[in-house]
Amino acid sequence: MAKQDRAIRTRQNILEAAAVVFDQKGYDAATITEILARAEVTKGALYFHFTSKEELALAVIDAQVTQAPPMPDLPGKSKMQEMVDMGMLFAHRLVDDALLRGSVRLTLEHGSTSLNRSGPFNGWTQLHTQVLVEGLERGEVLPHVVPADTAELIVGAYAGINTMSQAINNRADLERRASVLYEHVMPSVVVPSVLARLDMAPGRGARALAEAERLRETKVREAAAEAAEAERTGTPVGVA
């Protein structure tokens, strides 16, 4: 088990190091030598996990969706707020998440044609479609909305503002641009009663994470109190 855990950590370390190099240099200019130096691993260790630079780059690209943190599970949160939070959290994470930044650079850059860059677009579209379908079932979404079409529109538009923000000021205003995107799109997607409660303002990503952390801390305190009471009374935890 220890060996398996070490292998998982080594693979993640290589992925994160590669993401930094890809973000700085792009796919074509990045070299395995630079990635090895940043990861501080041997060539054998790298090739144990990835057979080529292309395979490594594809793993970095896929991490954009596969390693995305789960949406904060907040009491009373609507599915449409969850969908907005996907984009706002994405913008928030891009500030200091090296793996995400490298993945985005590889996904959006125009360079080598050998890389299949469709994974994140398909993955985010599927996630948005799923949330929209659930929102439609809950009565949060206007009846004329076609979830798959709306999902493609939002994901494609987000990719556009991401590229524009990167070119203009290194994504310093991406959260603002995402906020503007949702303010224009959501009124044509969401029923008025749900729309009125949506938080789409800049900074929503940080607020959602803070709310989730407060909820987590509350649950930890409640579990600790329950365990202490069970120890005092001799009652097994979870038994009324």
Side-chain angles (χ1 to χ4, degrees):
M1 183 63 70
K3 178 182 284 188
Q4 183 180 15
D5 290 343
R6 187 164 59 250
I8 292 172
R9 289 195 299 271
T10 298
R11 184 182 188 278
Q12 187 67 18
N13 177 45
I14 294 170
L15 270 181
E16 292 174 357
V20 173
V21 176
F22 287 136
D23 184 38
Q24 294 174 345
K25 301 289 187 68
Y27 177 76
D28 291 333
T31 67
I32 290 295
T33 299
E34 291 172 302
I35 295 170
L36 290 173
R38 177 167 286 276
E40 297 182 338
V41 298
T42 65
K43 185 177 292 186
L46 187 148
Y47 283 114
F48 175 80
H49 294 282
F50 305 99
T51 60
S52 64
K53 186 175 84 167
E54 179 178 346
E55 184 178 322
L56 178 53
L58 289 173
V60 171
I61 289 173
D62 289 343
Q64 184 180 144
V65 177
T66 60
Q67 295 196 26
M71 290 294 101
D73 186 15
L74 304 175
K77 182 177 179 179
S78 70
K79 298 306 293 186
M80 292 302 92
Q81 184 66 65
E82 180 180 322
M83 190 174 74
V84 169
D85 286 352
M86 285 187 192
M88 301 308 284
L89 280 169
F90 191 95
H92 180 69
R93 290 172 55 220
L94 267 175
V95 174
D96 52 18
D97 189 324
L99 182 53
L100 181 59
R101 292 177 69 91
S103 177
V104 170
R105 167 72 187 264
L106 289 175
T107 303
L108 298 179
E109 76 174 353
H110 298 286
S112 173
T113 58
S114 63
L115 287 179
N116 182 353
R117 297 177 168 87
S118 65
F121 292 107
N122 291 331
W124 287 121
T125 298
Q126 290 170 3
L127 285 173
H128 280 72
T129 300
Q130 177 183 339
V131 174
L132 282 161
V133 168
E134 292 175 8
L136 195 59
E137 292 171 348
R138 290 188 182 188
E140 298 179 14
V141 175
L142 293 167
H144 70 270
V145 170
V146 179
D149 291 347
T150 302
E152 286 186 352
L153 172 66
I154 292 173
V155 172
Y158 198 103
I161 63 169
N162 191 354
T163 302
M164 186 174 182
S165 181
Q166 168 64 21
I168 292 175
N169 54 24
N170 197 31
R171 299 195 184 95
D173 65 351
L174 180 57
E175 281 198 82
R176 180 191 66 78
R177 292 179 186 275
S179 175
V180 172
L181 171 64
Y182 290 121
E183 287 175 351
H184 281 73
V185 171
M186 298 309 280
S188 65
V189 174
V190 183
V191 298
S193 59
V194 174
L195 180 66
R197 299 195 303 271
L198 291 184
D199 182 355
M200 300 179 283
R204 169 60 192 172
R207 288 192 295 276
L209 287 178
E211 291 169 3
E213 180 60 22
R214 285 194 295 271
L215 180 62
R216 186 192 68 80
E217 291 174 353
T218 298
K219 289 181 176 179
V220 169
R221 288 196 299 269
E222 290 175 348
E226 183 181 357
E229 178 64 15
E231 182 177 357
R232 185 184 68 81
T233 62
T235 304
V237 174
V239 177

